[in-house]
Amino acid sequence: MDGNDRWRSRRWRIVQGATAMVLNAIYEEDFLGFSYGFRPGRGQHDALDALVVGITSTKVNWILDADIQSFFDTVSQEWLIRFVEHRIGDPRIIRLIQKWLSVRPRRSRVIRVG
């Protein structure tokens, strides 16, 4: 990767970070207080602390833990964009998200020595 590629990559990371900040600000109000997955300032330890408080202070009949395997690999991108368009009115942001969704991650190169 030469200097131009590194600069281009750095610029994209900055744009992605800024877009994520805007999207987080817009969608944060929709999350319930006990939602912890992939939210800024909330991690798995916070979720476990809340769980301990919840089950020791209230009668609990059941606890549900769900993890949707490969969700973003299988979700309909058309549906996802339509969902985002309901809240995001700027077509430039929609185009950026479409561009990011269409990019396949690079496979890292493994260099074997010996």
Side-chain angles (χ1 to χ4, degrees), residues 3-17:
N4 286 335
D5 287 340
R6 278 193 294 276
W7 171 242
R8 193 172 306 123
S9 176
R10 191 172 299 134
R11 284 192 318 201
W12 271 113
R13 282 194 302 268
I14 291 168
V15 171
Q16 286 175 336

Side-chain angles (χ1 to χ4, degrees), residues 41-103:
R42 291 176 178 233
Q44 66 269 25
H45 296 291
D46 300 315
L48 290 172
D49 290 343
L51 179 64
V52 167
V53 169
I55 63 177
T56 57
S57 64
T58 308
K59 181 181 177 198
V60 175
N61 292 324
W62 50 269
I63 297 173
L64 174 66
D65 177 24
D67 187 13
I68 303 171
Q69 183 178 4
S70 301
F71 175 76
F72 285 105
D73 295 336
T74 58
V75 71
S76 163
Q77 291 183 4
E78 179 183 333
W79 177 87
L80 185 61
I81 291 298
R82 285 182 28 210
F83 180 81
V84 171
E85 285 174 329
H86 283 283
R87 296 287 292 276
I88 309 298
D90 190 338
R92 296 170 298 182
I93 299 295
I94 300 298
R95 278 195 306 273
L96 275 174
I97 294 170
Q98 287 171 323
K99 207 178 257 195
W100 292 327
L101 288 171
S102 69
V103 172

Side-chain angles (χ1 to χ4, degrees), residues 19-42:
T19 304
M21 287 172 48
V22 169
L23 293 175
N24 281 334
I26 291 168
Y27 286 105
E28 181 65 25
E29 67 187 40
D30 294 341
F31 286 100
L32 299 174
F34 53 80
S35 248
Y36 287 86
F38 300 101
R39 290 178 64 197
R42 291 176 178 233

